[in-house]
Amino acid sequence: MQEQQTVQTESHNVPADQIDLLDGETIIESAQPSLWNWWKWMAVAFGAVLFGIEAVSVGELSTTGVVFGIAVATGGYAYFARQQSRYVVTDQRVVKNVGLVRRGSSDVRIADIRSVSTSRSIRQRLALTGTVEVVSVGGDSAVTMQNFRGYNDVARAIRMQQQTVEQQVGPGDVSVTVEDDRYE
């Protein structure tokens, strides 16, 4: 079995296949979403376990294997999807990689961030998690990182890195170029 490579910084180990770092890019914060992001899959697994227990108590052993197989498959999917998901803040961008089968990735450059907001629903408060939303200058792209612990640390890291970039280039000096060939 091949050993999985990791990108390691002072306090973060991120599997190398979960983030493709740019040249000279370093990781500032890294977090994994909670299993709450896959609550529907977990509910199916839990329901299958309950149904399997009921089948065992009634003596339906042929049904039990199938039901427990469904529980293992759906619960396993949720677990491995979480393991392959990561929210990362680097010195250059905010990256979100989520999913296992249906993999999605999005990122926003630190210099292009217009706003960073945090929120917590009642369910998130009970689970000690929160949401961070990062919106770009044009408002055309956003990265929403949901249901993870340390959401305030990630939001603070983004704001501090944004402040560092603004000090280097100056506030409002981020230029937006629109390429439109209608006027040529």
Side-chain angles (χ1 to χ4, degrees):
M1 187 168 149
Q2 192 175 11
E3 186 176 319
Q4 186 177 19
Q5 295 180 342
T6 60
V7 177
Q8 188 170 7
T9 63
E10 290 178 18
S11 61
H12 302 286
N13 286 332
V14 178
D17 62 340
Q18 288 185 1
I19 180 150
D20 187 22
L21 291 176
L22 304 172
D23 291 337
E25 189 174 27
T26 57
I27 296 171
I28 297 171
E29 282 289 333
S30 172
Q32 265 189 309
S34 164
L35 274 173
W36 276 109
N37 284 3
W38 295 274
W39 70 269
K40 292 175 186 174
W41 290 94
M42 296 302 292
V44 169
F46 183 71
V49 166
L50 291 179
F51 188 73
I53 291 170
E54 177 64 23
V56 167
S57 69
V58 176
E60 287 290 327
L61 297 178
S62 60
T63 307
T64 305
V66 172
V67 171
F68 281 130
I70 291 170
V72 168
T74 55
Y77 171 78
Y79 173 78
F80 287 112
R82 178 184 184 270
Q83 291 303 106
Q84 292 297 312
S85 300
R86 181 77 55 183
Y87 304 140
V88 178
V89 178
T90 72
D91 58 343
Q92 297 180 28
R93 59 197 172 126
V94 177
V95 182
K96 172 186 170 183
N97 287 335
V98 179
L100 180 65
V101 175
R102 185 175 161 218
R103 191 123 173 99
S105 177
S106 57
D107 64 71
V108 173
R109 290 177 354 123
I110 296 288
D112 294 342
I113 293 175
R114 180 183 72 193
S115 67
V116 178
S117 60
T118 61
S119 63
R120 292 178 82 186
S121 67
I122 291 175
R123 180 180 54 109
Q124 287 175 322
R125 288 181 197 172
L126 293 172
L128 304 174
T129 63
T131 297
V132 176
E133 184 175 28
V134 178
V135 179
S136 69
V137 172
D140 57 348
S141 65
V143 173
T144 303
M145 301 175 279
Q146 297 177 325
N147 300 323
F148 68 101
R149 292 178 185 236
Y151 71 98
N152 273 328
D153 295 335
V154 169
R156 186 176 182 344
I158 294 168
R159 291 177 180 122
M160 289 178 65
Q161 192 58 34
Q162 187 179 22
Q163 185 178 34
T164 301
V165 168
E166 283 180 355
Q167 289 172 353
Q168 291 171 351
V169 295
D173 286 349
V174 178
S175 62
V176 177
T177 305
V178 176
E179 294 182 15
D180 193 348
D181 60 352
R182 290 184 292 176
Y183 302 108
E184 291 183 4

